[in-house]
């Protein structure tokens, strides 16, 4: 028997039998029986999905606040200093494309961090990874604050992003570890609602800070944020029991990614719900300041208000989702969101250049669509992949980042008509998601006729 793989016998007395699979996991039509696992399999994986221990109301509130702060790491690390981007080109006497590398490099190394920390947390637990990530974030944010040239700043941004990868992957895993069923769905919606505060308040804080200090103050604020998360992590109770962790070597932990990648329904649905949401998103974050300030001639403070308002108005998407979640099927909601995306792309292409307000309206609609897509897609994906939670979380978050990078790289490199570029990305996101959506439906193994949140 391989010492890298936990067997069913190892856990039979440690936990209750897993609950029946959700309706979304039941095949729409009978299919061939799965092949029996080969005796030589050495892929480490969890034998079953464990049931989280009961939590007190106070600790649930703590977890929600803590998970939300972890999610906001990315938004604060990008949005807080974006009002200063045009000014940083003057300070460092360089081009927009070079300054934008502080964002592009960040997303690339955040991706690498997620790929490493997610699977490793399935082996060593969540808390050690969170402590390492928070400590590294504090040090690298301090390095960004003190950077004397653009090259050093880009270097520290890469290291900072790698640390953020720990927080991003752990935030998603903690939702799966600590909550189940309807509670998990509600927590996802609540965290997403609070998460909206990131892009609302971060650019406003950044713009207000610029009234009194230089761009360095934005990174000093990130040092303080890292310290707050580090202290909260000390009070966090490990959510992955030792009995549920992977065994084997450090490198064996990464085989969990292969297990997740072989889950075809998981990967197809991930591609469907990731491409149309994420393809324009990082590009928008990268060029929004230049659109509002350079193209429409607004000040850094006015830009921050438009940016924050678009994010704030997107809460309408969450409210609408909560109204319909028990009455609309996965098939109907996904189709509706795809239609909304193509209409938003056409509207931006035809009317987005006319004024800052019209562009704002288009982005508000897009962000509302994004808010509607997140909760049901994450919850459904966790139902499709019951085990290897850290690897599944990394796969989800990495997909969001990879797709976003595919969109941001040509937009930043070409530095041309940013509004048209965003409109094209919206239309391409719709087209590619539609292809994978049709493939998933034709495959017929996943029941898409259940509601997003089945009634009690």
């Amino acid at each position: 028997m391989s010492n890298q793989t936990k067997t069913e016998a190892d856990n039979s007395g440690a936990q209750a039998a897993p609950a029946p699979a959700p309706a979304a996991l039941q095949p729409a039509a009978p299919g061939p029986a799965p092949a029996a696992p080969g005796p030589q399999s050495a892929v480490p994986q969890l034998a079953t999905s464990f049931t989280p221990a009961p939590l007190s109301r106070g600790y649930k509130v703590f977890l929600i606040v803590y998970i939300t702060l972890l999610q906001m790491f990315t938004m604060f690390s990008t949005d807080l200093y974006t009002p200063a981007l045009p000014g940083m080109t003057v300070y460092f006497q360089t081009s927009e494309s070079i300054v934008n590398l502080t964002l592009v490099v960040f997303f690339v190394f955040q991706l690498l961090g997620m790929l490493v920390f997610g699977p490793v947390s399935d082996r060593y637990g969540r808390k050690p990874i969170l402590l390492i990530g928070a400590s590294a974030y504090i040090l690298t944010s301090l390095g960004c604050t003190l950077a004397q040239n653009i090259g050093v700043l880009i270097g520290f941004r890469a290291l900072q992003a790698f640390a953020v990868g720990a927080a991003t992957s752990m935030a998603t895993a903690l939702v799966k570890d600590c909550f189940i069923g309807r509670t998990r769905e509600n927590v996802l919606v609540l965290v997403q609602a609070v998460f909206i505060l990131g892009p609302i308040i971060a650019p406003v804080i950044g713009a207000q800070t610029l009234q009194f200090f230089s761009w360095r103050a934005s990174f000093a604020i990130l040092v303080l944020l890292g310290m707050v998360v580090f202290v909260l992590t000390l009070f966090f109770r490990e959510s992955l029991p030792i009995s549920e962790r992977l065994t084997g070597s450090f490198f064996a932990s990464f085989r969990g990614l292969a297990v997740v990648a072989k889950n075809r329904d998981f990967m197809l649905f991930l591609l469907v719900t990731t491409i149309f949401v994420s393809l324009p998103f990082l590009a928008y974050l990268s060029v929004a300041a230049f659109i509002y300030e350079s193209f429409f001639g607004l000040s850094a403070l006015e830009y921050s208000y438009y940016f924050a308002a678009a994010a704030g108005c997107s809460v309408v998407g969450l409210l609408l989702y909560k109204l319909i979640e028990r009455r609309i099927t996965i098939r109907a909601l996904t189709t509706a969101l795809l239609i909304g995306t193509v209409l938003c792309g056409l509207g931006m292409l035809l009317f987005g250049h006319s004024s800052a307000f019209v562009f704002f309206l288009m982005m508000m609609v897009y962000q509302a669509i994004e808010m509607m897509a997140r909760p049901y897609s994450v919850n459904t994906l966790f139902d499709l992949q019951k085990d290897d939670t850290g690897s599944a979380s990394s796969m989800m978050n990495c997909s969001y980042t990879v797709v976003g990078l595919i969109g941001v790289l040509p937009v930043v490199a070409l530095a041309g008509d940013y509004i048209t570029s965003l409109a094209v990305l919206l239309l391409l996101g719709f087209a590619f998601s539609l292809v994978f959506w049709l493939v998933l439906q034709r495959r017929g193994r996943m029941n898409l006729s259940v509601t997003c949140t089945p009634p009690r």
Side-chain angles (χ1 to χ4, degrees):
M1 182 181 301
S2 172
N3 63 357
Q4 290 184 342
T5 308
K6 294 199 302 184
T7 65
E8 185 175 346
D10 291 332
N11 290 289
S12 59
Q15 61 186 50
L25 290 175
Q26 304 297 332
Q40 302 302 318
S41 175
V43 178
Q45 55 185 310
L46 304 180
T48 60
S49 348
F50 69 96
T51 300
L55 303 173
S56 66
R57 178 175 298 180
Y59 191 67
K60 283 183 180 179
V61 173
F62 168 81
L63 277 176
I64 292 172
V65 173
Y66 181 60
I67 292 171
T68 302
L69 282 175
L70 294 177
Q71 291 275 31
M72 290 172 68
F73 253 130
T74 299
M75 289 293 99
F76 267 83
S77 299
T78 54
D79 296 346
L80 191 65
Y81 82 110
T82 51
L85 287 177
M88 289 169 68
T89 61
V90 177
Y91 179 88
F92 287 115
Q93 298 182 350
T94 187
S95 65
E96 293 179 4
S97 298
I98 296 298
V99 171
N100 265 325
L101 284 177
T102 60
L103 283 168
V104 176
V105 167
F106 181 92
F107 295 131
V108 171
F109 278 83
Q110 183 190 20
L111 167 66
L112 296 177
M114 289 186 290
L115 283 173
V116 171
F117 289 121
V120 170
S121 74
D122 284 337
R123 170 67 178 83
Y124 297 100
R126 316 300 188 206
K127 188 167 183 175
I129 301 302
L130 287 164
L131 287 172
I132 292 171
S135 301
Y137 186 83
I138 293 169
L139 295 175
T140 53
S141 297
L142 184 60
C144 291
T145 306
L146 301 177
Q148 295 300 310
N149 60 66
I150 190 65
V152 173
L153 177 61
I154 291 172
F156 274 111
R157 283 287 284 172
L159 297 175
Q160 182 191 48
F162 191 79
V164 169
T168 307
S169 56
M170 291 305 94
T172 310
L174 293 186
V175 175
K176 173 71 180 296
D177 287 350
C178 302
F179 305 99
I180 59 174
R182 179 69 56 77
T183 303
R184 187 174 75 196
E185 176 83 9
N186 290 335
V187 168
L188 283 169
V189 173
L190 181 59
V191 169
Q192 195 71 22
V194 180
F195 174 67
I196 294 173
L197 291 175
I200 291 176
I201 65 178
V204 174
I205 293 174
Q208 291 289 354
T209 302
L210 283 176
Q211 305 297 312
F212 307 98
F213 306 100
S214 73
W215 58 269
R216 298 182 188 274
S218 296
F219 291 101
I221 293 173
L222 296 182
V223 175
L224 297 178
L225 175 62
M227 290 179 175
V228 170
V229 171
F230 181 86
V231 171
L232 290 178
T233 304
L234 296 176
F235 293 94
F236 166 70
R237 300 197 295 264
E238 176 60 62
S239 61
L240 185 64
I242 294 177
S243 61
E244 299 300 325
R245 297 179 192 175
L246 300 179
T247 58
S249 68
F250 171 84
F251 294 102
S253 304
F254 297 99
R255 295 176 182 169
L257 289 171
V259 174
V260 176
K262 291 178 181 178
N263 185 335
R264 292 186 180 180
D265 285 341
F266 177 94
M267 293 304 299
L268 281 171
F269 191 70
L270 177 60
L271 289 171
V272 170
T273 55
T274 296
I275 296 177
F276 77 90
V277 167
S278 298
L279 191 63
F281 186 64
L282 296 188
Y284 170 62
L285 291 181
S286 300
V287 302
F290 296 104
I291 290 175
Y292 282 110
E293 295 179 38
S294 300
F295 183 79
F296 289 118
L298 304 182
S299 67
L301 192 59
E302 289 172 325
Y303 149 71
S304 71
Y305 292 151
Y306 269 103
F307 189 89
C313 291
S314 67
V315 75
V316 173
L318 280 179
L319 295 176
L320 180 58
Y321 172 74
K322 288 302 293 180
L323 287 175
I324 64 175
E325 61 176 336
R326 300 181 192 178
R327 296 188 290 272
I328 191 168
T329 65
I330 294 174
R331 176 181 284 108
L333 180 57
T334 306
T335 302
L337 294 179
L338 287 173
I339 293 173
T341 300
V342 69
L343 292 177
C344 185
L346 290 173
M348 185 177 296
L349 188 64
L350 297 174
F351 309 111
H353 298 79
S354 58
S355 71
F357 183 70
V358 172
F359 176 76
F360 154 77
L361 289 178
M362 296 297 105
M363 291 312 305
M364 182 188 72
V365 172
Y366 160 68
Q367 289 182 271
I369 291 172
E370 181 197 17
M371 289 298 108
M372 291 188 71
R374 294 289 188 185
Y376 93 97
S377 62
V378 171
N379 197 48
T380 302
L381 287 166
F382 272 141
D383 285 340
L384 289 168
Q385 181 64 43
K386 303 297 291 183
D387 304 322
D388 300 288
T389 300
S391 296
S393 300
S394 290
M395 188 69 75
M396 283 188 270
N397 288 304
C398 287
S399 297
Y400 301 148
T401 305
V402 168
V403 172
L405 282 172
I406 292 173
V408 74
L409 288 174
V411 172
V412 171
L414 296 176
D417 185 347
Y418 291 138
I419 296 177
T420 297
S421 298
L422 288 176
V424 170
L425 288 177
L426 282 165
L427 296 174
L428 287 175
F430 158 78
F432 283 109
S433 286
L434 180 62
V435 170
F436 288 112
W437 182 229
L438 294 175
V439 171
L440 181 63
Q441 294 185 80
R442 184 178 180 82
R443 176 174 161 78
R445 299 296 301 274
M446 178 180 170
N447 187 356
L448 301 171
S449 298
V450 295
T451 57
C452 297
T453 301
R456 292 183 187 277

